[in-house]
């Protein structure tokens, strides 16, 4: 059972930051995974009054407040146009509409969950995050920060610009947690592949051997898929075994590359 001793609806980011310096205080986010935990929270910090639930166009970026819901992202025309529908594809399987109406992008990223579809896609989009005190950094850099760091994630920035994107996942049933996630993007001739639900946190893989330098064909897509599958580290869980995930990885990467080439 989750027990909360105090609840504060903060009126500034600095107030939220100061409160979260105490180890037993927690920022609520959408409070969907949090409520499933067995723990005692000193102070629950609610960011609902800080205006962080908007998606704005800020120069060369889409700027998403940390409290933007996954459903808002899923239905956002600009984000889906930018990603050729990959944004919606990455979100539509997450539990159900009611859940996605409450789950937030900030909570999804801060948790750095191994099963996160959101993290997988945003890594492939070269997204950045803004922390109240640590400032702006790439999402890839953020994933390497210690989980004990006490800061407030305020915004997520998704770069605009021409880019091809594909998102795929393997699930035992439609709304289950994924057994594997895969996002691919191509920008300025460079390919980025992100594999998540390994079941560890999503990881970025690039074409270090130049297997795709001559273009995407059935043969080069298969070779790159097998290369990523060999480089990635997989584990076993209740949903899938290590060997199965490795096989699925090679398949999803190959399919994603071919789909991206066809769309391009």
């Amino acid at each position: 059972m989750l027990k909360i001793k105090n609840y504060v609806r903060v009126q500034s980011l600095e107030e939220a930051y100061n409160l979260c310096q105490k180890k037993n205080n927690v920022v609520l986010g959408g409070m969907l995974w949090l409520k499933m935990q067995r723990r005692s929270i000193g102070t629950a910090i609610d960011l609902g009054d800080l205006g962080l639930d908007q998606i704005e166009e800020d120069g060369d970026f889409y700027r998403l407040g940390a409290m933007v819901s996954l459903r808002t992202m899923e239905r956002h025309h600009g984000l889906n146009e930018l990603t050729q529908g990959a944004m919606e594809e990455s979100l539509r399987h997450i539990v159900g509409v009611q859940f996605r109406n409450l789950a937030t992008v900030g909570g999804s990223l801060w948790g750095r969950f191994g099963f996160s579809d959101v993290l997988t896609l945003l890594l492939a989009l070269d997204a950045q995050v803004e922390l109240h005190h640590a400032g702006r950094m790439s999402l890839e850099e953020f994933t390497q920060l210690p989980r004990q760091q006490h800061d407030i994630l305020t915004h997520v920035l998704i770069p605009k610009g021409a880019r091809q994107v594909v998102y795929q996942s393997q699930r035992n049933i439609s709304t289950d947690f994924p057994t594997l996630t895969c996002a691919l993007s191509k920008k300025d001739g460079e390919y980025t592949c992100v594999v998540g639900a390994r079941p560890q946190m999503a990881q970025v893989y690039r074409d270090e051997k130049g297997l795709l330098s001559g273009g995407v064909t059935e043969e080069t897509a298969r070779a790159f898929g097998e290369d990523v599958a060999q480089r990635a580290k997989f584990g076993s869980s209740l949903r899938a075994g290590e060997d199965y995930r490795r096989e699925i990885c090679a398949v999803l990467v190959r399919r994603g590359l071919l789909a991206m080439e066809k769309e391009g």
Side-chain angles (χ1 to χ4, degrees):
M1 178 183 294
L2 181 70
K3 297 180 180 180
I4 297 175
K5 295 180 180 179
N6 300 300
Y7 167 84
V8 177
R9 198 170 176 94
V10 295
Q11 298 304 303
S12 71
L13 284 171
E14 194 62 24
E15 181 186 3
Y17 177 80
N18 290 333
L19 284 171
C20 81
Q21 297 314 297
K22 292 185 178 180
K23 183 178 179 180
N24 206 32
N25 294 351
V26 176
V27 176
L28 290 179
M31 203 181 163
L32 292 165
W33 304 123
L34 188 64
K35 70 180 182 181
M36 298 169 65
Q37 299 179 13
R38 282 186 163 185
R39 59 183 295 187
S40 178
I41 292 174
T43 297
I45 305 164
D46 190 337
L47 307 179
D49 286 345
L50 301 185
L52 298 176
D53 59 348
Q54 300 297 313
I55 298 178
E56 305 168 315
E57 293 192 49
D58 183 11
D60 296 328
F61 295 88
Y62 280 102
R63 191 165 186 255
L64 288 65
M67 296 296 287
V68 168
S69 73
L70 300 189
R71 181 63 170 169
T72 299
M73 294 171 62
E74 177 187 0
R75 296 177 61 83
H76 192 276
H77 175 75
L79 292 177
N80 277 302
E81 186 175 41
L82 177 69
T83 62
Q84 300 95 61
M87 182 63 71
E88 180 180 8
E89 177 61 27
S90 71
L91 299 171
R92 68 186 182 92
H93 294 292
I94 299 176
V95 185
V97 172
Q98 297 93 332
F99 185 96
R100 299 195 298 275
N101 276 329
L102 296 173
T104 63
V105 63
S108 299
L109 296 183
W110 187 265
R112 284 163 276 190
F113 303 114
F115 56 78
S116 177
D117 297 271
V118 182
L119 180 60
T120 303
L121 179 63
L122 292 185
L123 279 170
L125 296 178
D126 296 325
Q128 301 176 23
V129 297
E130 289 182 354
L131 304 179
H132 180 55
H133 268 234
R136 184 183 296 191
M137 66 186 70
S138 71
L139 178 58
E140 190 172 358
E141 181 182 358
F142 170 75
T143 63
Q144 304 306 312
L145 292 180
R147 292 180 182 269
Q148 295 78 18
Q149 178 155 335
H150 299 289
D151 207 333
I152 305 292
L153 194 160
T154 64
H155 292 87
V156 178
L157 295 98
I158 301 176
K160 297 179 183 177
R163 179 195 299 266
Q164 290 175 261
V165 188
V166 167
Y167 187 85
Q168 300 200 351
S169 64
Q170 173 69 21
R171 285 170 157 81
N172 294 332
I173 58 173
S174 178
T175 58
D176 193 10
F177 290 106
T179 56
L180 201 76
T181 60
C182 177
L184 293 125
S185 71
K186 178 185 178 183
K187 183 177 182 181
D188 299 329
E190 298 293 326
Y191 291 87
T192 299
C193 176
V194 181
V195 180
R198 302 174 293 116
Q200 299 91 340
M201 183 172 60
Q203 183 73 42
V204 178
Y205 302 93
R206 296 183 172 86
D207 186 16
E208 298 174 355
K209 299 178 182 178
L211 297 171
L212 305 174
S213 58
V216 174
T217 64
E218 180 70 39
E219 291 74 22
T220 61
R222 185 182 304 277
F224 184 63
E226 292 174 353
D227 179 59
V228 171
Q230 290 304 312
R231 282 193 280 153
K233 293 182 179 180
F234 299 96
S236 298
S237 67
L238 290 174
R239 290 178 176 79
E242 176 182 348
D243 292 340
Y244 176 80
R245 283 188 163 99
R246 194 176 303 280
E247 291 291 332
I248 291 298
C249 175
V251 172
L252 291 186
V253 173
R254 176 179 60 82
R255 287 179 179 175
L257 284 171
L258 293 174
M260 194 160 57
E261 184 67 15
K262 182 178 180 180
E263 292 174 1

